Amino acid sequence: MATTLVIFGASGDLTSRKLVPALYQLFRKKRLPEKTQVVGFSRTKFSDEDWQHELAESTAKFVGDDFDAELWRQFASMIHYQPGDIKEPEDFEALHRRLHELEESSDVTRVYYLSTAPRFYKPAIERIGACGLADEVNGPRRIVIEKPFGRDAESAHDLNEAVHGVFKERQVYRIDHYLGKETVQNMLVLRFANTIFEPVWNRNYIDHVQITVAEEVTVGRRGEFYDQTGVLRDMFQNHLLQLLMTTAMEAPVRFEAEAVRDEKVKVLRAISPLLPEAVASDTLRGQYRGYLDTPGVAEGSQTATFAAVKLAVDNWRWQGVPFYLRSGKAMSCRTTQIVIQFRNPPTMVFSNGSVDTCQANRLVIQIQPAEGIQLHFQTKVPDQGMRLRLTDLDFDFNREFSGVMPEAYERLLLDAFQGDASLFARSDEVELAWGIIDPILSAWESTSDPPLDMYEPELWGPERAVEWMHAQGRQWFDTCPVLS
Ligand code: BG6
């Protein structure tokens, strides 16, 4: 069956930076379904050739050495452009006609990709519905929706209603690109294709879990967007909670969309949203120095660019095990990691009895950029009596499978073409995730507790974050990964 991908918001940054490079890579690896066509739709008045020309330059830049001019020429012949405005019904009619022309009435899987500004999601969906583009007349119709999916639980619910007015849930693919990362999928493999971790993956052995998504970059040119968004909406509601779900979920009966998503949703249901008093004690917020000088940022803005949040997953497996989530811009280095900090041995027989949690076993799952896994354990230092030192077993994806780490969007696009929604968020999942974030956002808006701490760029966030962990007898694992 033929496949057509229609990208709304085609002239935007995401299309040139991520989507088209991912499609080109799939083409290069011969993974695109037969008879694939890509149709861009946005207001810029491009011809097919103009758009192909622009994309050639950006793709060459983003895929680096994998760019091959001859291969690009073959790939570019699949790329078309239809100028149009989401607000204009007749532009959708024209798009409909163009699709018919290109598809020559063969059976076709058609995937609509919403890569526009979020305020256009609802009108675009309604127009798609109104002109019959969602009707599954000669093959499946699917819609991929980029993040952010709403600004809070209520707007996410409204958007879900609009989506369900036109598409059935099985046709909807809500993207969180973190789920397309190989190392995030590998978390499921690590847990559920091995037997040695599962027996200790619970409150009996684990002291706490730390999930860090640190970015070295600042807000850069996205000042206006970011200032209205902040770190909780930008990173926590989606990426960090996805990592938490992957770490905490039970084994699904099989690796299938509904089974996987049912288990993830159970984790969210087990997290009680924080009450205002708990927001004051269990969250931290910060803003890097220099943020206020960013173009587009409001004067005196109180938007947080750093946050740390302590959540409890109240179920049998995780009762009493805190999950510390932290993310920030302008941090020491770029690293996304999940740290499983195990408990201390009950007594320390090899020294004068002092037991330090930070020295207990630790499993570090490096999601990026130094993709890998390290298991830390105590070892006897040779020839020094019974002196011990923490050492590690180190698995490095790059060393083991050199050069095959694909971009997240390759996997996600392919899954959307093939109708596998396992790595996409379901409607209840996004609403429940907002239900965890909303109370923090509203407490932050209405009180000054916790205060907004300033932090110096290139550190690990505000000093208070360090003290906060120490006060709980714990310590952040602040290590920049070593790239091999
Ligand atoms: C996006 C956020 O969803 O994820 C950005 O909007 C952030 O602010 C980005 O920089 C991080 O993605 P990655 O894949 O680079 O970790």
Side-chain angles (χ1 to χ4, degrees):
M1 190 184 297
T3 301
T4 306
L5 173 69
V6 183
I7 305 177
F8 293 94
S11 54
D13 198 42
L14 184 79
T15 310
S16 53
R17 215 164 29 88
K18 297 285 182 193
L19 303 184
V20 172
L23 290 165
Y24 169 79
Q25 292 286 24
L26 290 171
F27 176 75
R28 190 178 68 78
K29 297 176 191 172
K30 302 190 174 21
R31 304 231 173 107
L32 279 184
E34 254 182 278
K35 294 197 260 163
T36 299
Q37 310 208 65
V38 179
V39 180
F41 180 95
S42 58
R43 279 185 308 176
T44 316
K45 299 264 179 269
F46 281 140
S47 64
D48 285 4
E49 292 71 30
D50 296 337
W51 198 42
Q52 290 165 4
H53 187 71
E54 262 219 7
L55 292 176
E57 281 178 21
S58 50
T59 308
K61 177 166 146 208
F62 292 115
V63 305
D65 290 348
D66 286 340
F67 191 79
D68 175 300
E70 172 50 28
L71 210 58
W72 171 265
R73 216 181 42 73
Q74 294 168 27
F75 171 67
S77 66
M78 308 172 174
I79 297 183
H80 315 276
Y81 188 82
Q82 176 68 28
D85 187 333
I86 285 176
K87 295 197 280 316
E88 301 298 337
E90 56 277 25
D91 289 354
F92 276 74
E93 297 299 342
L95 173 67
H96 204 165
R97 286 194 296 275
R98 181 86 194 272
L99 290 171
H100 274 300
E101 250 167 64
L102 290 168
E103 290 162 354
E104 296 170 339
S105 65
S106 53
D107 286 352
V108 64
T109 299
R110 215 187 278 146
V111 178
Y112 304 109
Y113 198 116
L114 291 188
S115 164
T116 62
R119 67 179 185 284
F120 295 121
Y121 291 173
K122 216 165 145 180
I125 290 162
E126 285 164 1
R127 297 259 136 79
I128 289 173
C131 69
L133 282 165
D135 303 345
E136 298 193 298
V137 270
N138 58 343
R141 300 291 181 264
R142 302 188 184 120
I143 183 148
V144 180
I145 307 174
E146 262 298 330
K147 77 172 263 278
F149 195 92
R151 277 186 64 75
D152 49 28
E154 196 184 330
S155 54
H157 181 72
D158 279 357
L159 184 54
N160 272 331
E161 291 210 320
V163 172
H164 292 149
V166 175
F167 292 96
K168 301 200 168 58
E169 181 61 26
R170 66 167 170 78
Q171 296 172 281
V172 186
Y173 292 69
R174 295 172 194 79
I175 281 227
D176 184 316
H177 77 279
Y178 266 56
L179 293 178
K181 292 183 191 280
E182 291 287 326
T183 41
V184 176
Q185 294 159 49
N186 189 56
M187 185 71 175
L188 298 179
V189 174
L190 177 82
R191 293 192 52 204
F192 304 132
N194 295 296
T195 48
I196 59 169
F197 299 108
E198 223 27 45
V200 295
W201 206 264
N202 57 50
R203 62 192 301 273
N204 298 325
Y205 294 91
I206 295 177
D207 178 75
H208 71 275
V209 176
Q210 295 181 18
I211 302 179
T212 298
V213 181
E215 295 189 276
E216 207 175 349
V217 292
T218 61
V219 165
R221 286 183 300 155
R222 298 162 78 214
E224 195 181 335
F225 158 81
Y226 194 90
D227 206 39
Q228 290 160 24
T229 306
V231 65
L232 286 182
R233 288 192 175 95
D234 192 40
M235 301 297 287
F236 279 68
Q237 185 273 341
N238 35 67
H239 310 325
L240 277 105
L241 284 179
Q242 286 295 344
L243 296 178
L244 184 153
M245 285 183 256
T246 315
T247 308
M249 68 191 272
E250 299 299 319
V253 278
R254 61 190 75 82
F255 190 64
E256 263 177 23
E258 288 320 305
V260 171
R261 301 192 299 183
D262 283 346
E263 294 305 334
K264 283 166 58 190
V265 160
K266 280 192 214 159
V267 175
L268 294 182
R269 286 193 197 286
I271 299 176
S272 310
L274 298 181
L275 297 170
E277 316 79 84
V279 173
S281 59
D282 293 351
T283 73
L284 296 176
R285 53 178 154 169
Q287 188 186 80
Y288 65 83
R289 267 186 222 290
Y291 172 75
L292 293 178
D293 303 331
T294 313
V297 169
E299 206 182 322
S301 165
Q302 293 288 297
T303 298
T305 60
F306 168 95
V309 172
K310 178 180 167 186
L311 291 175
V313 180
D314 288 325
N315 60 18
W316 273 53
R317 185 188 285 267
W318 295 114
Q319 190 61 237
V321 179
F323 282 73
Y324 295 96
L325 274 50
R326 140 181 99 146
S327 181
K329 299 264 184 216
M331 304 268 283
S332 238
C333 56
R334 175 172 183 245
T335 179
T336 299
Q337 58 192 23
I338 301 171
V339 176
I340 311 293
Q341 178 67 63
F342 289 93
R343 288 183 186 281
N344 293 318
T347 62
M348 182 48 92
V349 296
F350 298 111
S351 67
N352 52 12
S354 90
V355 183
D356 173 4
T357 322
C358 312
Q359 295 301 314
N361 295 121
R362 191 190 291 134
L363 184 70
V364 182
I365 294 129
Q366 303 276 4
I367 302 292
Q368 62 183 21
E371 293 87 356
I373 298 171
Q374 289 103 38
L375 179 62
H376 297 201
F377 54 90
Q378 293 288 353
T379 303
K380 181 182 176 309
V381 181
D383 202 22
Q384 295 197 15
M386 286 312 282
R387 213 177 125 221
L388 310 184
R389 209 185 76 197
L390 208 60
T391 50
D392 65 324
L393 284 176
D394 184 6
F395 161 70
D396 179 337
F397 267 93
N398 206 17
R399 213 165 43 217
E400 193 71 28
F401 306 103
S402 87
V404 293
M405 208 50 109
E407 266 286 327
Y409 279 91
E410 291 179 38
R411 170 69 193 257
L412 296 175
L413 282 167
L414 207 53
D415 282 0
F417 293 159
Q418 292 167 347
D420 181 352
S422 314
L423 301 177
F424 293 82
R426 205 166 58 187
S427 55
D428 50 349
E429 192 176 333
V430 281
E431 290 185 33
L432 283 163
W434 278 119
I436 294 165
I437 298 303
D438 279 358
I440 309 177
L441 284 168
S442 50
W444 281 8
E445 271 157 27
S446 57
T447 71
S448 54
D449 213 5
L452 179 74
D453 288 320
M454 293 297 130
Y455 62 97
E456 296 301 327
E458 296 174 30
L459 295 178
W460 288 92
E463 193 52 36
R464 193 190 302 269
V466 178
E467 294 156 9
W468 185 68
M469 278 299 247
H470 279 171
Q472 300 174 61
R474 298 183 173 114
Q475 190 177 313
W476 292 112
F477 182 67
D478 285 344
T479 306
C480 288
V482 183
L483 295 172
S484 58

